[in-house]
Amino acid sequence: TFSQPGLKVAHVVKAPKGPAYSIRVNAQQFLWRYDYSGIKDAKWNTYSYNDLVLPAGVTVLLDFTSSDVEAAWWVPQLGGSVTAMPGYSNKFWVRAERPGLYPGSGTVVNGTNYASQITNVTVVDPRLFVRWLAGKQIEIDQAMTALGVERADGEAAALTDGGGSK
């Protein structure tokens, strides 16, 4: 067996100090879905695509997986590349001290449109993060309500069957 003194195996590394949030990250060809439902005491089921919002000065666990193909998430200012694969969970701790915009990209060729699998991480004051979560949940709730109204009055059926049944 291979062993190296001082080598830390990822599954035994303890979280950095400070409050921790958990966000699930799912790679989908060719985008990233961020699910904020793992945040302790959260009363929302908020998610976003390609744009991740994090609180400044707070330790966050990103839990990566993939729905379809291997993908790699890379935001150079926040650390190394993280691989997302179907059927596997790959955890990554991140803590950004300063608010700002941190652009990132994919680093695995996984199809003809892989170059469009980009991400932007926006780091905000922790109070603004909570406000953003609440606002995003309202936006999602309104969209779901509108979808329900469309389904109830037949608009969705008209969209899927070419407009013949309204």
Side-chain angles (χ1 to χ4, degrees):
T1 63
F2 175 78
S3 93
Q4 182 177 351
L7 180 66
K8 299 264 187 190
V9 179
H11 66 276
V12 295
V13 175
K14 291 186 181 180
K17 291 182 181 178
Y21 291 140
S22 178
I23 298 172
R24 288 182 299 196
V25 182
N26 186 39
Q28 300 171 1
Q29 207 172 28
F30 298 98
L31 58 88
W32 297 100
R33 177 185 161 114
Y34 301 105
D35 181 347
Y36 299 85
S37 62
I39 295 176
K40 186 179 179 189
D41 299 327
K43 295 182 172 103
W44 43 71
N45 185 18
T46 303
Y47 56 90
S48 63
Y49 290 99
N50 294 329
D51 296 314
L52 173 63
V53 179
L54 298 175
V58 176
T59 302
V60 178
L61 172 67
L62 300 178
D63 186 1
F64 286 84
T65 192
S66 175
S67 292
D68 40 43
V69 298
E70 178 182 351
W73 185 89
W74 183 47
V75 180
Q77 293 171 307
L78 298 180
S81 180
V82 183
T83 301
M85 292 183 64
Y88 292 92
S89 177
N90 198 357
K91 298 178 183 342
F92 178 77
W93 292 102
V94 64
R95 182 180 176 114
E97 296 298 332
R98 291 189 204 118
L101 178 65
Y102 302 87
S105 64
T107 59
V108 170
V109 177
N110 56 13
T112 57
N113 204 23
Y114 82 94
S116 69
Q117 191 164 359
I118 61 170
T119 192
N120 285 301
V121 179
T122 303
V123 178
V124 298
D125 179 272
R127 291 171 302 216
L128 292 177
F129 176 70
V130 172
R131 274 197 199 146
W132 177 85
L133 281 173
K136 190 69 171 172
Q137 185 60 56
I138 290 168
E139 182 182 314
I140 290 168
D141 289 345
Q142 288 173 342
M144 296 303 284
T145 299
L147 179 61
V149 169
E150 288 173 1
R151 286 183 178 168
D153 69 12
E155 286 182 43
L159 291 173
T160 58
D161 69 10
S165 66
K166 182 161 180 177

